[in-house]
Amino acid sequence: HYQGVKDNQKAKELFRSTGMLYDWQILGKFDNTSGGGFHKDWGAVEKASTAEKFTNELGAEVHWFYPGENQSDGWFYPTHHLDSPSSITYAQCFVNSQATLDAILNIGVSGSIKAWINDALVISIEDERNTGIDVYATQIKLNKGYNRILLQLGDGEVSSANFYVRFTDNNGHPIKGLTHTHTYNKYNKGRNNKSLHINEFYPEKELKHFIQENQENVLYTYMLVEQYLLNDKTDEAMELLFLLLTRFPTSSLLHSKLSEAFSRSKNHTYATQEMEAILSYDPDSFAGLTMLIGIAQESNKVNEVKKLYEKLIQLYGESPYSIRIDQWIASQENNLQKRQSNMRNIPRALR
């Protein structure tokens, strides 16, 4: 909200209250063709100082460097600073704790991920996914004083690798009193962090419990599908969707979600088949009408688009999508006044 109303200082304060780590050095890039760089040792674990030298994928000498603060919401994009298709990139920061304590390291990521605490590997996920925050979580120990947090980020399939990191207690609350910096500080290499166990993501765990306790309530199963899709767990989502479709075979919502799952899995043939099923079962659904409008636009059938647009408004009212279609119609008819009117209506449609 505060970002939307341009109160960036208040937005920044609230984002940082989540405990996110935002002050990072980065290093890269190293070759990850076909995911082949994930298991290679590029030297970043043993070399933490900015004085250390590395050789990148082009044979050039590179060093750790500080790129400045990234996005205020806590998601850090190395791609803002390094052109990184099919590459391995590293990030590190140094977290200061006033006492030795147990904590949960929480990571969200687009790409593959490895994480080290004081040079001990604690997370290693080779599958590339686009997740939300806190999806990969593991119990770790922070030493009193400075602790080195090192990440290896890999991309090959994702289009823009990024990450989000924070420390919480066992109840998910940010640990107070921790500070961090991108500046190198001496730290004790800790071999007390050896577990690669990933905690089950809390929303998924709770929804599975609700499903077990309320097996006739399909809402919980559908909510778990949504949760899986948010975190790119397409196999798990498809398993539940196929189960739901045995009970509701003509559901446009379920076919739409199955199409999304196939699309995320790069199976575009099956994704298209699921969308075609919507046109067969429920052509007047929102998804069905948007597809028909898209088909008519591709053929530049303005009158057909106008008829479908009128039906869309009648059934579902005004939306940002409907305004875009009205804009398209106005542009095809060279109606400048209508286009200007639509631009003024966009804020209302977003309410």
Side-chain angles (χ1 to χ4, degrees):
H1 166 74
Y2 285 108
Q3 272 191 328
V5 298
K6 305 303 182 184
D7 189 344
N8 294 325
Q9 184 59 39
K10 183 63 174 179
K12 186 176 183 179
E13 291 173 7
L14 291 175
F15 282 134
R16 293 194 176 180
S17 71
T18 66
M20 68 186 192
L21 305 183
Y22 55 86
D23 199 11
W24 297 90
Q25 291 182 14
I26 60 175
L27 170 70
K29 61 181 185 169
F30 305 95
D31 182 60
N32 191 40
T33 303
S34 300
F38 182 80
H39 295 291
K40 291 184 178 180
D41 180 4
W42 302 102
V45 179
E46 296 301 323
K47 300 178 180 180
S49 168
T50 53
E52 299 285 2
K53 300 176 182 179
F54 303 83
T55 302
N56 71 6
E57 66 176 7
L58 300 177
E61 181 181 302
V62 293
H63 304 258
W64 287 105
F65 71 95
Y66 173 56
E69 290 186 20
N70 209 273
Q71 296 194 172
S72 61
D73 63 1
W75 286 97
F76 193 95
Y77 285 75
T79 50
H80 289 181
H81 314 283
L82 294 169
D83 180 24
S84 62
S86 298
S87 69
I88 294 291
T89 307
Y90 290 93
Q92 69 173 359
C93 71
F94 298 85
V95 174
N96 190 24
S97 175
Q98 297 303 308
T100 298
L101 54 83
D102 293 320
I104 304 295
L105 170 65
N106 302 273
I107 298 179
V109 67
S110 290
S112 63
I113 185 73
K114 282 184 179 179
W116 292 262
I117 301 292
N118 296 321
D119 300 348
L121 183 65
V122 294
I123 290 178
S124 180
I125 307 292
E126 189 170 3
D127 291 339
E128 293 186 25
R129 291 195 175 110
N130 290 295
T131 78
I133 68 171
D134 298 352
V135 171
Y136 300 131
T138 190
Q139 188 84 36
I140 58 92
K141 187 179 292 292
L142 291 174
N143 297 328
K144 181 179 179 180
Y146 279 101
N147 298 263
R148 184 193 187 200
I149 316 303
L150 173 66
L151 306 179
Q152 175 187 294
L153 193 67
D155 73 52
E157 297 179 5
V158 299
S159 59
S160 183
N162 54 84
F163 62 87
Y164 183 107
V165 180
R166 67 183 188 134
F167 291 101
T168 65
D169 60 23
N170 289 329
N171 294 316
H173 300 134
I175 295 178
K176 298 186 181 300
L178 297 179
T179 59
H180 75 287
T181 177
H182 69 273
T183 304
Y184 175 83
N185 282 271
K186 290 184 178 180
Y187 61 97
N188 292 321
K189 294 192 176 187
R191 303 305 174 188
N192 52 352
N193 287 304
K194 295 182 179 179
S195 174
L196 294 180
H197 172 74
I198 301 297
N199 299 344
E200 186 170 16
F201 190 42
Y202 179 78
E204 295 173 9
K205 180 180 178 180
E206 288 298 294
L207 285 169
K208 288 177 183 178
H209 172 73
F210 291 148
I211 291 168
Q212 187 66 32
E213 296 295 317
N214 305 272
Q215 295 188 17
E216 294 303 312
N217 189 340
V218 297
L219 177 61
Y220 294 126
T221 304
Y222 177 76
M223 290 172 66
L224 185 54
V225 167
E226 288 279 18
Q227 189 61 61
Y228 283 147
L229 289 175
L230 280 173
N231 295 312
D232 250 4
K233 297 183 177 180
T234 54
D235 290 343
E236 294 90 337
M238 283 190 279
E239 182 178 353
L240 293 180
L241 285 166
F242 285 131
L243 180 65
L244 290 172
L245 282 166
T246 62
R247 297 182 60 183
F248 310 101
T250 63
S251 169
S252 58
L253 177 61
L254 296 180
H255 282 289
S256 176
K257 289 301 172 181
L258 188 54
S259 177
E260 179 183 342
F262 280 128
S263 181
R264 286 174 175 268
S265 299
K266 305 296 190 293
N267 192 330
H268 300 298
T269 299
Y270 284 173
T272 300
Q273 288 179 359
E274 291 304 316
M275 297 307 287
E276 290 172 348
I278 296 174
L279 291 179
S280 174
Y281 295 130
D282 195 5
D284 286 343
S285 65
F286 189 88
L289 286 172
T290 58
M291 279 190 290
L292 291 171
I293 288 172
I295 293 170
Q297 283 180 302
E298 289 178 1
S299 301
N300 206 34
K301 296 180 178 178
V302 179
N303 289 334
E304 181 68 16
V305 172
K306 291 173 71 173
K307 291 178 182 178
L308 292 167
Y309 164 79
E310 290 170 1
K311 180 180 285 188
L312 185 77
I313 292 296
Q314 180 183 0
L315 293 175
Y316 303 104
E318 191 176 66
S319 66
Y321 172 76
S322 71
I323 291 177
R324 290 200 302 273
I325 298 306
D326 203 17
Q327 282 284 72
W328 183 86
I329 295 170
S331 67
Q332 297 302 304
E333 296 178 338
N334 294 318
N335 190 334
L336 180 60
Q337 183 177 0
K338 183 68 173 178
R339 295 179 68 182
Q340 292 173 337
S341 175
N342 282 335
M343 292 299 294
R344 290 191 293 269
N345 289 338
I346 289 176
R348 185 181 73 246
L350 292 172
R351 291 172 190 161

